[in-house]
């Protein structure tokens, strides 16, 4: 069988030849690198990677195969995958298939035999670049022209493509994986994904009814939420209603939430101005409403509260980023995936920095000085990554328990 070749070309003219390991075709996107050693299936299915070509820095990828339990959404969102070596054989008791076949099944163009060390150093030196991976056009000049002509990440509203299709209660199977108990379980129970975006891609066929019943009603604005975030909310006794990023403040107010959750998501937050406007209206209308944001959720909250956003040189993508909580001095190792950050010099007086990245000093957490509103830039739910920051979900529940009794649940007050 003839080996298929592929070529990665960046907009600045850098070329990285390799072997085609996924679907045939050609795809463009912003090229970023991720330093996590495991979790490639979670990375591929993280909606925050929509519009991007992901280079994994760990040299051998695919050695434990793929399975039905690890996806973090209803489908892969990464536009292309770049690795040093795709494993020829996989071995793991949970595996139901190999990564190469998975890429082909989902139409993801992949390339291996790439010098990923050289590519990563190039991106660190010159910043994230628009690139093209092709298995059908191996002409270097042609691909560089295509990379330069491709839309830039900051020009696209990627949130609309990954959000839920409507407002609906979150439903989980009766045997859903509990992310708290599952930390010590030898074989955690699985959660099954479903392609229905209205139900946030979760299986609704449980015979015992809605599992996400609890004392606290959380409305989660889905800008590309990961499954494990919803598992954490459900595991802490939250009844979750999922709203699309295009929902209006009036539609969300009618739901009378005890807490508002702002999810992670892809791209430049300023390309989703409707979302920041909705959050601003909700904050104005419900001053005692507890609000918790993750990743894009922090950026949206910041825009709604009059801070500004800027693009990082090459972003934070990996599972080993040290973050310090300023109040306690405690350092957590965190999972991160974002290309934008909040400008510290733009913070209004009512916002306080709570967490700082120890690699580059960027903002990793903010809170309102007088209201139960806070957000963090990293992923406390991980998947993949460490569990150090999961206490933030408890902090959100505590905020709902401490809120003035139902005063914030009356729409318009």
């Amino acid at each position: 069988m003839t080996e298929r070749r592929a070529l990665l070309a960046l907009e600045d003219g850098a070329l990285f030849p390799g072997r085609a390991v996924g679907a045939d075709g050609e795809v463009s996107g912003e090229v970023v690198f991720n330093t996590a050693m495991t979790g490639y299936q979670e990375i591929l299915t993280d909606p925050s990677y929509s519009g991007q070509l992901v280079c994994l820095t760990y040299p051998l990828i695919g050695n434990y195969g793929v399975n039905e339990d690890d996806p973090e959404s209803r489908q892969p969102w990464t536009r292309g995958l770049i690795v040093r070596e795709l494993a020829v054989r996989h071995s793991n008791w949970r595996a139901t298939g190999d990564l190469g076949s998975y890429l082909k099944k989902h139409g993801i163009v992949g390339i291996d035999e790439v010098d990923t060390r050289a590519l990563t150093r190039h991106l660190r030196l010159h910043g994230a670049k628009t690139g093209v991976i092709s298995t059908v056009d191996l002409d270097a000049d042609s691909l560089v022209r295509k990379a330069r002509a491709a839309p830039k990440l900051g020009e696209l509203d990627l949130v609309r493509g990954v959000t839920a299709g409507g407002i609906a209660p979150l439903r989980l199977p009766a045997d859903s994986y509990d992310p708290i108990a599952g930390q010590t379980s030898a074989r955690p129970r699985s959660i099954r994904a479903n392609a229905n975006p209205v139900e946030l891609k979760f299986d609704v066929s449980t015979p015992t009814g809605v599992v996400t019943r609890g004392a606290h009603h959380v409305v989660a604005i889905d800008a590309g939420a990961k499954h494990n975030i919803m598992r954490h909310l459900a595991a802490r006794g939250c009844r979750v209603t999922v709203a699309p990023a295009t929902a209006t403040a009036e539609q969300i107010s009618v739901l009378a939430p005890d807490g508002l959750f702002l999810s992670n998501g892809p791209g430049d937050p300023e390309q989703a101005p409707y979302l920041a406007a909705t959050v601003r209206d909700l904050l104005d209308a419900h001053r005692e409403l507890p609000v918790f944001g993750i990743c894009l959720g922090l950026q949206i909250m910041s825009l709604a509260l009059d801070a500004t956003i800027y693009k990082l040189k090459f972003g934070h993508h990996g599972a080993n980023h040290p973050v310090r909580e300023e109040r306690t001095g405690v350092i957590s190792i965190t999972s991160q995936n974002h290309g934008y950050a909040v400008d510290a010099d733009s913070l209004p007086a009512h916002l306080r920095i709570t967490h700082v990245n120890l690699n580059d000093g960027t903002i990793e957490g903010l809170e309102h000085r007088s209201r139960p509103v806070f957000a963090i830039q990293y992923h406390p739910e991980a998947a993949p990554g460490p569990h150090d920051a999961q206490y933030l979900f408890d902090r959100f529940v505590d905020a709902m328990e401490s809120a003035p009794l139902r005063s914030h649940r009356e729409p318009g007050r």
Side-chain angles (χ1 to χ4, degrees), residues 234-311:
R236 287 165 172 79
C238 296
R239 175 169 59 91
V240 182
T241 299
V242 179
T246 52
T248 65
E250 291 75 17
Q251 290 173 320
I252 294 171
S253 292
V254 166
L255 300 172
D258 297 315
L260 179 68
F261 174 75
L262 310 176
S263 86
N264 63 291
D268 183 347
E270 293 186 328
Q271 293 300 315
Y274 50 88
L275 182 50
T278 295
V279 173
R280 182 182 299 111
D281 291 344
L282 288 168
L283 292 173
D284 288 344
H286 308 282
R287 299 189 63 81
E288 302 298 329
L289 179 67
V291 178
F292 176 34
I294 288 177
C295 202
L296 183 77
L298 176 137
Q299 297 162 18
I300 293 297
M301 183 196 81
S302 300
L303 290 173
L305 292 172
D306 301 321
T308 60
I309 306 297
Y310 69 97
K311 185 170 176 55

XYZ file of all heavy atoms in Angstrom, residues 234-311:
570
model
N -23.654 18.508 38.467
C -24.644 17.520 38.872
C -24.211 16.775 40.124
O -25.028 16.485 41.001
C -24.896 16.543 37.728
N -22.915 16.458 40.216
C -22.409 15.716 41.367
C -22.528 16.509 42.661
O -22.511 15.932 43.755
C -20.949 15.320 41.139
N -22.676 17.829 42.550
C -22.810 18.674 43.737
C -24.252 19.091 43.989
O -24.520 20.068 44.688
C -21.900 19.901 43.581
C -20.434 19.540 43.755
C -19.518 20.625 43.253
N -18.130 20.331 43.603
C -17.346 19.481 42.950
N -17.823 18.842 41.890
N -16.109 19.263 43.337
N -25.167 18.322 43.438
C -26.570 18.549 43.731
C -27.195 19.697 42.998
O -28.139 20.319 43.507
N -26.718 20.003 41.801
C -27.298 21.089 41.020
C -28.255 20.545 39.972
O -27.963 19.545 39.310
C -26.203 21.900 40.327
S -25.084 22.755 41.457
N -29.387 21.195 39.832
C -30.298 20.935 38.723
C -29.941 21.933 37.639
O -30.039 23.149 37.840
C -31.746 21.119 39.169
C -32.770 20.983 38.052
C -34.182 20.922 38.634
N -34.493 22.118 39.420
C -35.061 23.210 38.928
N -35.343 23.274 37.624
N -35.333 24.231 39.710
N -29.500 21.442 36.501
C -28.916 22.301 35.472
C -29.877 22.458 34.297
O -30.395 21.475 33.762
C -27.574 21.740 34.969
C -26.962 22.671 33.926
C -26.607 21.543 36.136
N -30.101 23.701 33.907
C -30.782 24.006 32.653
C -29.755 24.610 31.710
O -29.043 25.550 32.081
C -31.928 25.007 32.861
O -32.898 24.435 33.748
C -32.607 25.333 31.530
N -29.671 24.070 30.517
C -28.691 24.524 29.540
C -29.335 25.529 28.601
O -30.432 25.294 28.073
C -28.129 23.338 28.729
C -27.129 23.831 27.690
C -27.477 22.332 29.664
N -28.674 26.666 28.419
C -29.149 27.695 27.492
C -28.087 27.939 26.446
O -26.888 27.958 26.750
C -29.463 28.987 28.240
N -28.476 28.143 25.190
C -27.483 28.442 24.156
C -26.880 29.821 24.365
O -27.448 30.682 25.048
C -28.290 28.385 22.862
C -29.688 28.701 23.274
C -29.839 28.114 24.653
N -25.733 30.044 23.766
C -25.054 31.334 23.894
C -25.859 32.463 23.281
O -25.619 33.635 23.591
C -23.676 31.255 23.241
N -26.817 32.136 22.429
C -27.645 33.151 21.780
C -28.906 33.479 22.571
O -29.696 34.327 22.149
C -28.046 32.664 20.378
O -28.631 31.350 20.489
C -26.842 32.595 19.455
N -29.110 32.834 23.717
C -30.287 33.121 24.534
C -30.233 34.554 25.050
O -29.158 35.096 25.325
C -30.372 32.143 25.700
N -31.381 35.164 25.199
C -31.439 36.534 25.693
C -31.503 36.557 27.215
O -31.819 35.540 27.859
C -32.679 37.252 25.140
O -33.860 36.617 25.674
C -32.710 37.201 23.623
N -31.227 37.715 27.789
C -31.313 37.869 29.240
C -32.733 37.606 29.718
O -32.947 37.025 30.796
C -30.855 39.264 29.639
N -33.731 38.012 28.941
C -35.119 37.789 29.321
C -35.437 36.296 29.366
O -36.109 35.820 30.292
C -36.055 38.496 28.329
C -36.012 40.007 28.389
C -34.766 40.606 27.751
O -34.072 39.892 26.982
O -34.492 41.792 28.014
N -34.969 35.547 28.366
C -35.213 34.104 28.349
C -34.577 33.414 29.539
O -35.144 32.470 30.102
C -34.679 33.511 27.042
C -35.489 33.902 25.818
C -34.827 33.440 24.527
O -33.601 33.510 24.365
N -35.633 32.961 23.588
N -33.399 33.859 29.938
C -32.707 33.245 31.073
C -33.343 33.673 32.384
O -33.507 32.863 33.312
C -31.207 33.601 31.027
C -30.561 32.940 29.797
C -30.506 33.169 32.315
C -29.149 33.375 29.531
N -33.766 34.919 32.498
C -34.394 35.402 33.725
C -35.673 34.634 34.037
O -35.969 34.340 35.202
C -34.697 36.895 33.604
O -33.522 37.660 33.560
N -36.432 34.300 33.005
C -37.676 33.558 33.199
C -37.424 32.209 33.866
O -38.283 31.682 34.578
C -38.392 33.375 31.841
C -39.503 32.342 31.929
C -38.945 34.705 31.355
N -36.242 31.652 33.693
C -35.897 30.353 34.276
C -35.655 30.442 35.775
O -35.550 29.417 36.442
C -34.658 29.782 33.579
C -34.789 29.542 32.070
C -33.447 29.155 31.470
C -35.833 28.467 31.785
N -35.539 31.651 36.323
C -35.360 31.893 37.757
C -34.224 31.057 38.341
O -34.428 30.246 39.238
C -36.667 31.612 38.498
N -32.997 31.255 37.879
C -31.884 30.437 38.385
C -31.441 30.849 39.784
O -31.586 32.005 40.184
C -30.774 30.713 37.364
C -31.065 32.097 36.871
C -32.561 32.198 36.831
N -30.880 29.878 40.500
C -30.173 30.156 41.749
C -28.737 30.565 41.472
O -28.093 31.187 42.324
C -30.174 28.922 42.650
C -31.577 28.535 43.072
O -32.345 29.438 43.450
O -31.898 27.340 43.031
N -28.218 30.166 40.325
C -26.857 30.501 39.938
C -26.724 30.486 38.431
O -27.469 29.781 37.728
N -25.801 31.282 37.926
C -25.541 31.359 36.490
C -24.133 30.858 36.222
O -23.176 31.317 36.857
C -25.685 32.800 36.004
C -25.431 33.066 34.514
C -26.518 32.432 33.662
C -25.350 34.572 34.240
N -24.003 29.925 35.280
C -22.690 29.405 34.911
C -22.363 29.822 33.487
O -23.191 29.682 32.577
C -22.637 27.884 35.019
C -21.342 27.315 34.520
C -20.189 27.411 35.276
C -21.259 26.730 33.264
C -18.985 26.934 34.812
C -20.060 26.245 32.783
C -18.913 26.347 33.567
N -21.135 30.329 33.269
C -20.649 30.753 31.962
C -19.562 29.780 31.522
O -18.515 29.683 32.152
C -20.083 32.174 32.030
C -20.980 33.222 32.707
C -20.258 34.565 32.790
C -22.305 33.359 31.979
N -19.795 29.080 30.428
C -18.914 27.971 30.053
C -17.689 28.419 29.270
O -17.579 29.564 28.830
C -19.688 26.940 29.222
O -19.697 27.295 27.846
N -16.811 27.467 29.084
C -15.685 27.605 28.163
C -16.206 27.674 26.729
O -17.384 27.443 26.476
C -14.741 26.414 28.306
C -15.429 25.105 27.928
O -16.326 24.637 28.641
N -15.025 24.519 26.814
N -15.323 27.966 25.790
C -15.711 28.008 24.393
C -14.550 28.466 23.530
O -13.477 28.821 24.038
N -14.744 28.473 22.217
C -13.642 28.747 21.287
C -13.517 30.213 20.884
O -14.454 31.007 20.982
C -14.028 27.911 20.066
C -15.534 27.977 20.057
C -15.940 27.989 21.519
N -12.331 30.555 20.396
C -12.128 31.791 19.664
C -12.028 33.054 20.484
O -11.831 33.041 21.705
N -12.169 34.156 19.782
C -12.064 35.500 20.337
C -13.410 35.889 20.944
O -14.428 35.933 20.237
C -11.688 36.465 19.204
C -11.478 37.895 19.672
O -11.856 38.221 20.819
O -10.932 38.693 18.886
N -13.463 36.191 22.247
C -14.747 36.540 22.856
C -15.381 37.780 22.263
O -16.605 37.935 22.320
C -14.380 36.747 24.331
C -12.921 37.059 24.333
C -12.351 36.254 23.208
N -14.588 38.655 21.690
C -15.154 39.871 21.104
C -15.902 39.586 19.800
O -16.596 40.466 19.293
C -14.048 40.904 20.887
C -13.472 41.413 22.210
C -12.488 42.538 22.025
O -11.794 42.547 20.991
O -12.405 43.395 22.917
N -15.756 38.376 19.266
C -16.533 37.978 18.101
C -17.898 37.424 18.483
O -18.679 37.019 17.610
C -15.760 36.946 17.271
C -14.511 37.491 16.615
C -14.801 38.635 15.666
O -15.719 38.574 14.865
N -14.015 39.705 15.767
N -18.191 37.384 19.791
C -19.512 36.970 20.282
C -20.079 38.067 21.176
O -20.364 37.852 22.356
C -19.409 35.644 21.034
N -20.247 39.289 20.630
C -20.683 40.409 21.462
C -22.061 40.211 22.071
O -22.368 40.768 23.127
C -20.664 41.594 20.483
C -20.815 40.978 19.134
C -20.082 39.672 19.215
N -22.917 39.431 21.414
C -24.255 39.146 21.929
C -24.181 38.442 23.280
O -25.048 38.654 24.150
C -25.022 38.282 20.925
C -24.257 37.060 20.462
C -24.316 35.859 21.149
C -23.437 37.127 19.327
C -23.600 34.752 20.733
C -22.716 36.028 18.902
C -22.791 34.850 19.609
O -22.060 33.756 19.199
N -23.155 37.603 23.483
C -23.029 36.869 24.735
C -22.643 37.798 25.882
O -23.219 37.747 26.973
C -22.006 35.740 24.566
C -21.769 34.825 25.762
C -23.077 34.298 26.324
C -20.867 33.663 25.364
N -21.656 38.661 25.644
C -21.274 39.635 26.676
C -22.434 40.567 26.994
O -22.644 40.944 28.158
C -20.051 40.419 26.222
N -23.218 40.953 25.990
C -24.363 41.838 26.217
C -25.415 41.154 27.087
O -26.003 41.780 27.984
C -24.969 42.255 24.881
N -25.660 39.870 26.839
C -26.617 39.120 27.648
C -26.161 39.039 29.100
O -26.947 39.252 30.032
C -26.816 37.710 27.073
O -27.429 37.805 25.788
C -27.689 36.860 27.983
N -24.891 38.724 29.306
C -24.356 38.626 30.667
C -24.416 39.986 31.358
O -24.767 40.087 32.545
C -22.922 38.066 30.644
C -22.289 38.120 32.032
C -22.929 36.631 30.119
N -24.117 41.051 30.638
C -24.200 42.392 31.220
C -25.631 42.696 31.674
O -25.848 43.207 32.786
C -23.736 43.431 30.204
C -23.733 44.861 30.738
C -23.316 45.868 29.684
N -21.953 45.595 29.197
C -21.670 45.155 27.986
N -22.649 44.932 27.109
N -20.422 44.936 27.620
N -26.607 42.365 30.856
C -28.001 42.606 31.213
C -28.418 41.780 32.431
O -29.157 42.263 33.303
C -28.917 42.283 30.032
C -28.767 43.275 28.879
O -28.194 44.359 29.111
O -29.198 42.948 27.758
N -27.948 40.532 32.505
C -28.278 39.676 33.646
C -27.653 40.204 34.929
O -28.290 40.204 35.991
C -27.820 38.243 33.373
C -28.631 37.473 32.326
C -27.917 36.181 31.929
C -30.030 37.158 32.865
N -26.404 40.659 34.841
C -25.743 41.215 36.015
C -26.431 42.486 36.491
O -26.530 42.743 37.700
C -24.273 41.475 35.705
C -23.389 40.243 35.486
C -22.002 40.656 35.017
C -23.288 39.419 36.761
N -26.919 43.278 35.568
C -27.622 44.501 35.940
C -28.972 44.198 36.588
O -29.394 44.887 37.520
C -27.840 45.385 34.708
C -26.559 46.038 34.213
O -25.570 46.064 34.988
O -26.529 46.497 33.060
N -29.651 43.151 36.096
C -30.998 42.854 36.564
C -31.021 42.038 37.854
O -31.993 42.107 38.611
C -31.767 42.112 35.473
N -29.975 41.261 38.104
C -29.972 40.341 39.246
C -28.657 40.516 40.016
O -27.720 39.732 39.869
C -30.126 38.896 38.767
C -31.296 38.686 37.854
N -32.592 38.598 38.301
C -31.361 38.579 36.507
C -33.414 38.422 37.273
N -32.685 38.413 36.171
N -28.634 41.500 40.872
C -27.379 41.898 41.509
C -26.911 40.909 42.572
O -25.747 40.935 42.959
C -27.517 43.293 42.096
C -27.840 44.366 41.050
C -27.748 45.758 41.616
N -26.401 46.088 42.052
C -25.432 46.495 41.242
N -25.648 46.598 39.933
N -24.245 46.789 41.722
N -27.781 40.056 43.071
C -27.382 39.066 44.073
C -27.166 37.673 43.486
O -26.908 36.731 44.219
C -28.435 38.998 45.184
C -28.677 40.311 45.895
C -27.425 40.821 46.592
O -26.608 39.989 47.025
O -27.257 42.050 46.693
N -27.297 37.548 42.179
C -27.203 36.234 41.538
C -25.765 35.743 41.513
O -24.884 36.399 40.949
C -27.731 36.326 40.104
C -27.695 35.049 39.267
C -28.662 34.014 39.844
C -28.032 35.349 37.811
N -25.461 34.594 42.113
C -24.112 34.026 42.008
C -23.786 33.649 40.565
O -24.608 33.048 39.870
C -24.175 32.777 42.897
C -25.291 33.056 43.857
C -26.306 33.829 43.050
N -22.582 34.015 40.132
C -22.130 33.744 38.769
C -20.752 33.111 38.829
O -19.872 33.586 39.562
C -22.077 35.039 37.931
C -21.562 34.743 36.522
C -23.439 35.710 37.869
N -20.560 32.041 38.049
C -19.281 31.332 37.979
C -18.935 31.124 36.512
O -19.744 30.604 35.748
C -19.391 29.998 38.710
C -18.160 29.119 38.636
C -16.880 29.655 38.600
C -18.291 27.737 38.623
C -15.753 28.835 38.555
C -17.178 26.915 38.578
C -15.901 27.463 38.540
N -17.738 31.544 36.098
C -17.305 31.383 34.723
C -16.006 30.612 34.623
O -15.157 30.678 35.509
N -15.859 29.874 33.536
C -14.646 29.108 33.264
C -14.129 29.473 31.878
O -14.886 29.461 30.899
C -14.905 27.588 33.343
C -15.123 27.157 34.795
C -13.767 26.791 32.722
C -15.464 25.679 34.952
N -12.857 29.831 31.780
C -12.140 30.056 30.529
C -12.794 31.175 29.703
O -12.710 32.329 30.084
C -12.018 28.744 29.752
S -10.655 28.748 28.554
N -13.447 30.858 28.592
C -14.138 31.902 27.845
C -15.129 32.623 28.742
O -15.367 33.823 28.591
C -14.859 31.309 26.631
C -15.571 32.324 25.734
C -14.575 33.055 24.845
C -16.654 31.648 24.885
N -15.679 31.885 29.714
C -16.616 32.493 30.648
C -16.002 33.641 31.427
O -16.677 34.639 31.716
N -14.729 33.539 31.779
C -14.049 34.649 32.454
C -13.922 35.836 31.515
O -14.131 36.989 31.916
C -12.673 34.218 32.948
C -11.839 35.338 33.582
C -11.142 34.856 34.848
C -10.793 35.896 32.621
N -13.575 35.582 30.275
C -13.406 36.672 29.315
C -14.734 37.369 29.039
O -14.799 38.608 28.961
C -12.788 36.116 28.031
C -11.397 35.531 28.234
C -10.973 34.604 27.107
O -11.545 34.629 26.021
N -9.970 33.773 27.364
N -15.810 36.603 28.912
C -17.129 37.182 28.690
C -17.558 38.000 29.909
O -18.080 39.119 29.777
C -18.156 36.076 28.379
C -17.842 35.427 27.017
C -19.569 36.628 28.408
C -17.935 36.357 25.829
N -17.354 37.453 31.103
C -17.690 38.197 32.314
C -16.906 39.502 32.384
O -17.441 40.555 32.746
C -17.389 37.346 33.549
C -17.777 38.008 34.867
S -17.009 37.224 36.303
C -15.368 37.986 36.274
N -15.636 39.445 32.012
C -14.787 40.635 32.058
C -15.269 41.693 31.074
O -15.321 42.885 31.401
C -13.336 40.249 31.761
O -12.857 39.312 32.719
N -15.633 41.288 29.860
C -16.164 42.233 28.884
C -17.475 42.848 29.384
O -17.716 44.050 29.213
C -16.387 41.539 27.542
C -15.124 41.126 26.770
C -15.509 40.299 25.544
C -14.318 42.351 26.348
N -18.302 42.016 30.016
C -19.576 42.515 30.530
C -19.374 43.526 31.656
O -20.232 44.385 31.875
C -20.426 41.348 31.023
N -18.243 43.429 32.361
C -17.950 44.330 33.477
C -16.906 45.376 33.102
O -16.228 45.927 33.962
C -17.504 43.513 34.689
C -18.605 42.641 35.312
C -18.036 41.714 36.371
C -19.715 43.504 35.899
N -16.735 45.616 31.800
C -15.973 46.750 31.265
C -14.450 46.583 31.271
O -13.722 47.574 31.137
C -16.336 48.045 32.012
C -17.814 48.369 31.900
O -18.375 48.154 30.809
O -18.411 48.809 32.894
N -13.940 45.366 31.372
C -12.510 45.122 31.164
C -12.276 44.850 29.684
O -13.221 44.731 28.892
C -12.036 43.951 32.015
N -11.010 44.745 29.289
C -10.680 44.467 27.889
C -9.859 43.185 27.777
O -9.257 42.723 28.748
C -9.915 45.637 27.245
O -8.690 45.845 27.971
C -10.734 46.912 27.286
N -9.835 42.655 26.563
C -9.201 41.370 26.261
C -8.082 41.580 25.256
O -8.158 42.465 24.407
C -10.237 40.388 25.675
C -11.458 40.256 26.593
C -9.626 39.011 25.413
C -11.166 39.682 27.940
N -7.032 40.767 25.346
C -5.987 40.790 24.323
C -5.590 39.363 23.974
O -5.834 38.430 24.741
C -4.772 41.588 24.802
C -3.982 40.939 25.922
C -2.831 40.189 25.667
C -4.389 41.085 27.257
C -2.112 39.595 26.696
C -3.677 40.501 28.279
C -2.539 39.754 27.996
O -1.826 39.165 29.018
N -4.979 39.205 22.810
C -4.563 37.887 22.342
C -3.172 37.562 22.851
O -2.250 38.371 22.730
C -4.587 37.819 20.806
C -4.281 36.432 20.241
C -4.556 36.395 18.748
C -4.169 35.055 18.126
N -4.832 33.917 18.794
